[in-house]
Amino acid sequence: MAKYDDIMSTIFHEKYADGVTEIYFERDELASKAHQLGVEPPKNLGDIVYTYKYRKRLPEDIVDTAPAGFYWRIKNVGIAQYEFVLTPGSEFVEPDTMLATTKIPDGTPSIVKRYSISDEQALLAIVRYNRLIDIFLGITCYSLQNHLRTTVQGIGQIETDEIYVGIDKAGRQFIIPVQAKGGTDKLGISQIEQDLALCAEKYPELICKSIACQFVAQDIVAMFEFSIEDDRIVKENERHYKIVEASEITAEDLENYHTLHS
């Protein structure tokens, strides 16, 4: 990843000046800077941008230019068009390690668990077969589409790991984009922004609930709900669920749940 750092740093610092809060660049610049530096660009230039949006922090020489309480992130602003944007708050969403865990009896078919290829696939399967979206939001939900790829005006191409639709007891209908993070991938604010923009453009008649899920441990799933407040992404809710055999849920567990939610 060292060459990725060099490419991004070169693009950033050629355009950076004190007081600048947005720096525009295009995908073609990634290849031209790579050749300028004497390194071979990856065949998929988009992987460079993806790396810093979802896998790791930007190079330290970029990070260090942000004032206290701010960070630089990469934002899609069109097809193959991006910006470094100076943003208040934290770059990635991290699970709250002090949060209580609720045990859920595992309903994931064993054959599905055995043949899941990636952590992300396994996580999405656990969420789907254990109806964690329904439990987390308290509404009835149905999986609509996996790995939706589309374009959104002002952003360009985006991908959402899964889309659910839902309905509550009052008959209100919901659209629920879900981002799933397994392994070392991190949940970035940019992904949540893209999901909310997707819902506003493609499903304006439905109520949007933006959800993310992440493994805290091999059998513990963190669920997050996000919304927009004062033009920034905020976390509305977070719950942790431990997926266990039904026999592991004791009478004491059930009594504790009853006490907590009565």
Side-chain angles (χ1 to χ4, degrees):
M1 295 296 180
K3 69 177 181 181
Y4 284 14
D5 284 357
D6 292 341
I7 292 168
M8 296 305 286
S9 292
T10 300
I11 291 174
F12 179 89
H13 286 291
E14 283 187 356
K15 302 181 179 184
Y16 174 74
D18 287 344
V20 168
T21 60
E22 296 177 351
I23 297 175
Y24 174 84
F25 68 99
E26 298 182 359
R27 185 177 300 172
D28 289 347
E29 294 180 58
L30 300 170
S32 63
K33 294 306 176 189
H35 292 305
Q36 179 182 318
L37 293 166
V39 299
E40 186 67 25
K43 292 181 180 179
N44 177 14
L45 288 172
D47 186 62
I48 300 177
V49 174
Y50 186 93
T51 293
Y52 295 106
K53 288 178 71 175
Y54 308 132
R55 293 184 185 140
K56 60 175 290 189
R57 299 178 74 200
L58 286 162
E60 287 301 316
D61 58 303
I62 296 178
V63 171
D64 290 344
T65 64
F70 288 78
Y71 68 96
W72 288 102
R73 65 184 178 89
I74 298 175
K75 178 180 179 181
N76 290 52
V77 293
I79 298 175
Q81 299 173 317
Y82 314 96
E83 281 182 346
F84 295 99
V85 180
L86 190 63
T87 307
S90 178
E91 182 175 4
F92 296 110
V93 179
E94 300 288 350
D96 182 352
T97 57
M98 294 186 66
L99 203 61
T101 299
T102 302
K103 292 180 181 177
I104 300 294
D106 191 2
T108 312
S110 58
I111 192 170
V112 172
K113 290 191 286 187
R114 179 174 180 178
Y115 293 111
S116 295
I117 294 175
S118 68
D119 282 347
E120 181 184 302
Q121 281 188 337
L123 178 55
L124 287 170
I126 287 171
V127 169
R128 188 181 311 119
Y129 287 109
N130 292 285
R131 305 194 71 89
L132 292 187
I133 303 292
D134 306 55
I135 294 169
F136 180 55
L137 293 178
I139 62 179
T140 302
C141 302
Y142 306 92
S143 177
L144 179 66
Q145 185 172 344
N146 297 325
H147 296 288
L148 171 65
R149 289 185 180 180
T150 186
T151 56
V152 173
Q153 187 173 2
I155 295 178
Q157 182 171 296
I158 69 169
E159 179 175 345
T160 299
D161 292 328
E162 192 156 4
I163 293 278
Y164 283 73
V165 288
I167 187 168
D168 69 5
K169 62 183 180 181
R172 295 183 302 171
Q173 297 184 12
F174 299 84
I175 187 72
I176 305 160
V178 178
Q179 291 289 345
K181 291 299 163 193
T184 59
D185 282 2
K186 295 181 178 293
L187 175 62
I189 296 299
S190 296
Q191 294 168 288
I192 306 305
E193 285 185 335
Q194 290 178 8
D195 283 351
L196 289 167
L198 163 71
C199 293
E201 181 174 303
K202 307 296 185 184
Y203 306 96
E205 72 280 12
L206 301 179
I207 301 168
C208 179
K209 295 279 190 180
S210 180
I211 302 298
C213 53
Q214 182 177 354
F215 278 127
V216 178
Q218 186 174 4
D219 57 352
I220 299 177
V221 177
M223 303 287 294
F224 308 92
E225 180 186 357
F226 301 93
S227 63
I228 299 178
E229 180 180 284
D230 298 328
D231 295 324
R232 67 188 186 96
I233 303 298
V234 295
K235 182 170 64 176
E236 282 199 4
N237 195 10
E238 178 180 349
R239 292 286 186 272
H240 294 182
Y241 300 102
K242 185 172 184 177
I243 311 302
V244 301
E245 295 297 325
S247 59
E248 295 182 41
I249 300 178
T250 66
E252 183 180 0
D253 290 327
L254 296 176
E255 179 62 27
N256 288 338
Y257 300 157
H258 176 75
T259 301
L260 286 171
H261 298 290
S262 59

